[in-house]
């Protein structure tokens, strides 16, 4: 008996016809997504304009445009040529990352798209990331440039030679230059690019070597180094950007500052070559862990804690501390030249592989590489930089449990 009606027409459709219809539906869904993203951008722009927040709104609108553009970009996949040469730094940005090397600076989306390429010609380039932007500067030069993920936001020329820069998540910029009157000059600019405050440091206070903005952008932690009685001294300051007066948190002789990281708006982690210390935003000491004379070969103060690699050659030790400086793991690990702390694991950069361990030190997996890894970013995705390539590492699926 011959079938008639809607059911018969469905059964008469060929496989090719069905595939064509599904592709058309997918194109329609993509167009709807693009229209939605455009509508959101237009509504946000209108709200920002009506609030009258002119300078802040420009930055917010630029970030929104970047986010929409990146979200609509097709997946390019990995590996990708970085074009950066020898990697100096790699930093995560919102939905993307930036890599700085001997040949220049490149920004990639998490999907592999090349968002920006910057050839500076700087003799001693360095960068500092903050939120979805970064500042690229020439150490011992007098030029810096603040970049979004896709384009240059602005450049600034300084009177003195630049030592150090830091950028907050909200766009505040701190710049340290030499100062002919005293020793060094720290200048902080607000998100509207206007000078907020300045501080000329003396030989007693030292030259800032590390800086970090609190997540809310209201405080700036500064580790300055000087010499006293033939020893290097590290002075740790907390600068309230509203009050403008630096507060001395600690002064340590015989130590070198390696990293400053805000674990939250109320907790600051300061890592030196001899110890790690935790401070509150009120200036009070919250904890300390001494390294016992071991030399730190590498460290990673990320994802709410600290990972330190001690030793060199065939004998290496890893130390994992949580956000309260309590030991999560301490023990021997394979020979490595780098360590990176992720949200729920830590990674070793070995001669020709990346090795993964849980935070309790248990081995997880290994990913072989064709070249020596130079850097690794551990967030929602794992990106490793080796040779002139950046590639995404996909951890192996866990083996099923056997009853």
């Amino acid at each position: 008996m011959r079938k008639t009606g809607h059911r018969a027409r469905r059964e008469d459709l060929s496989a090719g016809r069905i595939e064509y219809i599904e592709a058309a539906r997918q194109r329609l869904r993509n167009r709807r997504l693009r229209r939605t993203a455009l509508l959101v951008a237009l509504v946000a722009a209108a709200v920002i304009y009506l609030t009258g927040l002119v300078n802040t709104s420009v930055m917010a609108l630029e970030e929104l445009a970047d986010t929409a553009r990146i979200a609509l970009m097709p997946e390019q996949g990995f590996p990708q040529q970085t074009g950066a040469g020898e990697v100096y730094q790699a930093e995560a940005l919102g939905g993307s990352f930036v890599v700085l090397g001997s040949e220049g600076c490149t920004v990639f989306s998490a999907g592999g798209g090349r968002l920006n390429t910057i050839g500076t010609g700087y003799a001693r380039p360095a960068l500092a990331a903050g939120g979805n932007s970064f500042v690229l500067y020439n150490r011992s030069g007098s030029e810096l440039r603040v970049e979004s993920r896709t384009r240059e936001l602005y450049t600034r020329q300084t009177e003195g030679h630049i030592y150090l820069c830091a950028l907050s998540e909200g766009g505040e910029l701190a710049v340290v230059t030499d100062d002919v009157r005293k020793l060094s000059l720290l200048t902080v600019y607000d998100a509207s690019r206007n000078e907020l405050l300045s501080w000329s440091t003396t030989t007693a206070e030292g030259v800032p070597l590390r800086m970090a903005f609190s997540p809310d952008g209201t405080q700036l932690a500064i580790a300055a180094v000087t010499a006293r009685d033939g020893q290097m001294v590290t002075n740790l300051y907390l600068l309230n950007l509203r009050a403008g007066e630096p507060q001395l948190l600690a002064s340590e002789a015989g130590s070198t500052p390696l990293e400053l990281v805000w674990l939250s708006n109320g907790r600051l982690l300061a890592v030196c070559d001899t110890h790690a210390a935790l401070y509150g935003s009120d200036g009070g000491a919250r904890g300390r862990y001494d390294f016992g004379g071991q030399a730190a070969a590498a460290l990673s103060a990320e994802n709410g804690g600290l990972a330190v690699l001690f030793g060199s050659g065939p004998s290496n030790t890893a130390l994992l501390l949580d956000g309260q400086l309590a030991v999560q793991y301490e023990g021997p690990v394979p020979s490595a030249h780098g360590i990176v702390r992720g949200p729920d694991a830590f990674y070793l950069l070995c001669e020709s592989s990346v090795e993964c361990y849980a935070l309790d030190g248990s081995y997880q997996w290994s990913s072989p590489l064709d070249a020596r890894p130079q850097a690794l970013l551990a967030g929602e995705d794992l990106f490793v930089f080796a040779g002139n390539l950046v590639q995404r590492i996909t951890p192996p699926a866990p083996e099923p449990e056997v009853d």
Side-chain angles (χ1 to χ4, degrees):
M1 182 172 59
R2 178 180 177 83
K3 296 181 180 179
T4 60
H6 181 67
R7 179 178 299 177
R9 289 194 298 273
R10 283 180 59 89
E11 293 182 356
D12 289 342
L13 289 174
S14 65
R17 179 65 176 170
I18 292 174
E19 183 176 343
Y20 173 80
I21 292 174
E22 288 300 322
R25 288 173 177 170
Q26 183 61 44
R27 289 194 294 270
L28 180 60
R29 284 193 291 267
N30 290 339
R31 284 198 295 270
R32 287 173 178 170
L33 286 174
R34 293 189 182 96
R35 285 198 297 267
T36 301
L38 179 60
L39 180 60
V40 170
L42 291 174
V43 171
V47 170
I48 290 171
Y49 176 76
L50 293 174
T51 59
L53 303 176
V54 180
N55 290 316
T56 305
S57 68
V58 171
M59 293 185 62
L61 191 58
E62 288 172 340
E63 287 195 6
L64 185 62
D66 280 351
T67 300
R69 176 185 173 188
I70 294 170
L72 296 176
M73 288 182 65
E75 289 274 336
Q76 299 296 319
F78 291 93
Q80 291 285 344
Q81 293 277 344
T82 65
E86 180 186 356
V87 175
Y88 297 151
Q89 288 178 259
E91 303 289 344
L93 304 172
S96 60
F97 57 87
V98 56
V99 53
L100 173 65
S102 57
E103 302 298 325
C105 183
T106 309
V107 184
F108 289 93
S109 71
R114 190 181 295 262
L115 304 179
N116 199 359
T117 301
I118 306 164
T120 63
Y122 291 163
R124 300 180 62 204
L127 66 82
N132 295 333
S133 306
F134 62 95
V135 53
L136 179 63
Y137 60 99
N138 187 16
R139 291 174 294 178
S140 299
S142 58
E143 180 184 274
L144 64 86
R145 50 196 297 170
V146 177
E147 302 272 342
S148 74
R149 291 166 289 180
T150 61
R151 61 193 177 278
E152 178 186 298
L153 297 179
Y154 65 92
T155 61
R156 184 180 293 277
Q157 297 290 329
T158 61
E159 293 185 3
H161 295 108
I162 301 172
Y163 292 153
L164 181 66
C165 290
L167 189 67
S168 77
E169 294 185 9
E172 291 86 4
L173 173 66
V175 184
V176 179
T177 61
D178 58 6
D179 187 355
V180 295
R181 295 169 299 174
K182 292 188 177 180
L183 183 63
S184 67
L185 175 65
L186 167 63
T187 308
V188 181
Y189 303 91
D190 63 20
S192 300
R193 308 172 192 177
N194 300 313
E195 183 175 323
L196 185 62
L197 58 88
S198 63
W199 177 32
S200 291
T201 66
T202 65
T203 53
E205 294 159 336
V207 177
L209 190 62
R210 303 282 183 236
M211 294 190 299
F213 281 99
S214 60
D216 61 7
T218 62
Q219 298 191 86
L220 179 66
I222 306 157
V225 294
T226 187
R228 186 186 304 150
D229 299 327
Q231 277 190 310
M232 178 178 286
V233 176
T234 294
N235 293 322
L236 182 61
Y237 295 95
L238 196 60
L239 180 60
N240 189 312
L241 302 185
R242 294 168 180 168
E245 291 296 328
Q247 176 187 2
L248 180 64
L249 299 185
S251 184
E252 293 276 350
S255 65
T256 303
L258 302 178
E259 193 69 86
L260 291 177
V261 175
W262 288 88
L263 302 181
S264 67
N265 284 320
R267 291 185 302 145
L268 171 68
L269 175 63
V271 186
C272 294
D273 58 344
T274 57
H275 67 280
L278 192 63
Y279 299 91
S281 58
D282 58 357
R286 297 288 185 268
R288 182 185 175 102
Y289 188 94
D290 288 293
F291 297 152
Q294 300 182 88
L299 65 88
S300 173
E302 298 174 281
N303 295 296
L306 176 65
V308 187
L309 183 68
F310 297 110
S312 60
S315 178
N316 288 110
T317 300
L319 170 67
L320 275 290
L321 302 177
D322 65 14
Q324 302 299 328
L325 299 187
V327 177
Q328 294 177 290
Y329 171 74
E330 184 174 14
V333 292
S335 176
H337 58 270
I339 189 169
V340 175
R341 183 187 175 105
D344 52 13
F346 71 93
Y347 307 90
L348 297 175
L349 305 186
C350 300
E351 190 60 31
S352 58
S353 67
V354 172
E355 309 287 330
C356 176
Y357 291 80
L359 296 180
D360 62 2
S362 58
Y363 173 79
Q364 300 297 298
W365 49 262
S366 175
S367 178
L369 301 170
D370 294 332
R372 189 175 192 261
Q374 301 176 68
L376 182 138
L377 293 175
E380 293 183 4
D381 294 297
L382 292 175
F383 295 104
V384 62
F385 302 83
N388 197 34
L389 294 176
V390 54
Q391 52 191 299
R392 180 191 281 128
I393 295 179
T394 302
E399 297 182 0
E401 297 183 0
V402 179
D403 295 333

